[in-house]
Amino acid sequence: MDRTEKLRNGSIPKLLFSLAIPSIIAQLVNILYNMVDRIFVGRTPDGNLAMSALSVALPIITFINAVTHLVGLGGAPLAAIKMGAGDKDSAEKIMTTSFVSLISTGIIMTVIIEIFAEPLLYTFGADSTNILLAVEYTRIYAIGTVFVQIAIGMNSYINTQGYAKFGMVTVLIGAVLNIFLDALFINILGMGVKGAALATVISQAVSALWALSFIFGRKSLLKIRKKYIIPEIRVLGSICALGVSPFIMSSTESLLQISFNNQLLAFGGTTAVGAMSILLSLYQMVNMPLQGLCQGAQPILSYNYGADNLERVRKTFKLLFLCCLSFSFVGCGTIVIFSRFFGSIFTSDSEMLQMVEWALRVYLLGGTVFGAQIACQQSFVSLGQAKRSLLMALYRKVFLLIPLIYIMPHLLGGTSLAMNLSLPVAGICIDSSRVFAVLISESVSDVLAALTTTLLFFNFYKNHLK
């Protein structure tokens, strides 16, 4: 049975997990990829300061990934839908347009970051104590922007063709190399954050070459065509229209990190900002495997939606929804219960560990139901529902979370409830009750977004998938 026949007629549970497991492994490795820098850097002599430098640089890194998602995750479902409809030529036009756009945007972002790194980092929460380390890390990382674009963006087209194992190896190669180079550059050569950035650039370059070896090789069902090298505005517009949802989800993550950093710096100091970097890393331990599940379901949903096989679309979504919700509940619940253990992975500093242990319980509580939101929102993307997916992407972060980060300290800060719940870090933070209010905003928005997105998708399900 060939790849397209499996998507059309294969057992849905078997097919979903055969595609999802490599994607989940890739995402778990990708988490390790991102966490390794922080683990190594956090245990250097100036670890707390270096961690805060990485934290303020994170919005730039997140935005680079967001642009990758705009073109890569926007184009891959469209290409699969066209393949399901038997229109291979249009699918190749979409992939070629994405490839050219990824390289172009990568070059543009590299130039901008190299020129404006320092003022950007000050905007993102840097101060005089960590700005030099943050600039050093960011400018080296920016050199590899094109590699990031290709490694992540084109890997979407590998996965959407049903070659999830090859896509997994794209991530594995870079991750394993990154761990080795981190140990070499940071532990042995003592290069600090500079070594962490250099290790990432080299690793992403190798991952990009591996992804290109598939795209230009014999196995790829779709080919880069010279006749489509000059992008058509209409095709690029279609890609971006669907990709704008994952772009918003990623790019607003940058805005979230900026908002969290600025508020935590004001109410909690540099220790709270450094802790935020650890909180984000541990939340990724849950979110990234969920992304892997959704990536595994995407080719099945997109192909069969294009082929008008709605029964397979319904069965795939139901299984995806159940798996995502179960995983987020167990994953976040485990981290909340064993918060001290997970915090100790990143730091041995007693004050930082105390801060992280407490903050995780506040920050991740609502994440237990986040699986429902991501299953529905990513299914909208897979089914080509650009407007609905964009609305839900904006709703959780722009309409809910970012305003709450600034509103909640005024509503809860100084109240007896917030003061009592923040007693474990009262001696660490400038105003622990307001730090609690900032962090609880994440849990509140997660619960509200999960409820709203689920209701919206099941309304779509009732009206369009039966």
Side-chain angles (χ1 to χ4, degrees), residues 57-70:
L58 198 56
I60 293 177
I61 297 169
T62 303
F63 186 78
I64 291 172
N65 290 333
V67 176
T68 308
H69 293 159
L70 176 67

Side-chain angles (χ1 to χ4, degrees), residues 1-2 22-23 29 111 118 142 203 208 221 230 233 238 251 265 271 369 381 399 404 414 445:
M1 188 181 293
D2 63 19
S23 295
V29 172
V111 173
E118 187 169 335
S203 303
L221 304 175
I230 299 177
I233 298 300
S238 298
S251 62
L265 182 64
T271 299
V369 296
V381 175
F399 299 155
L404 285 175
S445 66

Side-chain angles (χ1 to χ4, degrees), residues 5 21 40 55 63 66 75 111 120 320 367 369 388 391 407 425 457:
E5 182 64 22
I21 288 174
F40 277 105
S55 185
F63 186 78
V111 173
L120 284 172
L320 174 66
V369 296
R388 289 180 173 90
L391 176 62
I407 293 170
V425 293
F457 188 89

Side-chain angles (χ1 to χ4, degrees), residues 92 103 117 174 209 220 225 231 253 261 361 400 452 457:
E92 291 182 333
I103 294 174
L209 289 173
S220 182
R225 300 295 182 187
E253 198 67 34
N261 285 345
R361 294 169 182 168
L400 285 177
T452 306
F457 188 89

